[in-house]
């Protein structure tokens, strides 16, 4: 277990009245995400910003879009881009693409970042 996760677990146990509950139940009661979900949450926000054009530099080849009007997907599925030796980018895309493609069209087509964050929170509660 990572050091950060150990610290997180100890801090959660300091909440009075919830110290007897398991870690996952305590997080649910407090309305918090686990560290894994928080990392995914940040990655998905970065992906949304990347696709909406916030990050202009280094955008080419990170994601390959597959636009479609089929009703079984969100209308904009992603595929991982191909990279030479820069493995971090590939790992980022592998982490994100699997979840992005599961979202409904409502989440993916958010008009602004604040709307996307609100919809993402609801979707992640149901998805992960």
């Amino acid at each position: 277990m990572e050091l950060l996760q150990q610290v997180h677990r100890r801090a959660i146990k300091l909440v009075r009245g919830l110290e007897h509950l398991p870690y996952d139940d305590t997080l649910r009661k407090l309305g918090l995400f686990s560290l894994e979900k928080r990392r995914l949450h940040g990655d998905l926000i970065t992906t949304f910003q990347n696709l909406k054009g916030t990050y202009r530099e280094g955008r080419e080849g990170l994601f390959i879009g597959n636009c479609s009007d089929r009703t079984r997907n969100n209308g904009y599925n992603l595929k991982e881009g191909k990279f030479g030796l820069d493995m971090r980018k590939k790992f980022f895309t592998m982490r994100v693409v699997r979840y992005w493609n599961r979202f409904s069209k409502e989440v993916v087509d958010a008009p602004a970042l604040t709307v996307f964050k609100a919809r993402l929170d609801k979707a992640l509660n149901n998805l992960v």
Side-chain angles (χ1 to χ4, degrees), residues 87-99:
M87 296 304 287
R88 276 202 252 155
K89 289 183 182 176
K90 186 172 183 182
F91 288 145
F92 172 77
T93 59
M94 291 174 70
R95 280 194 316 260
V96 171
V97 169
R98 182 177 54 173
Y99 293 102

Side-chain angles (χ1 to χ4, degrees), residues 8 23-24 27 32-39 128:
H8 195 248
Y23 178 68
D24 294 333
L27 288 176
L32 300 174
F33 288 146
S34 66
L35 292 175
E36 181 182 334
K37 262 191 189 181
R38 287 175 38 198
R39 179 182 185 187
V128 179

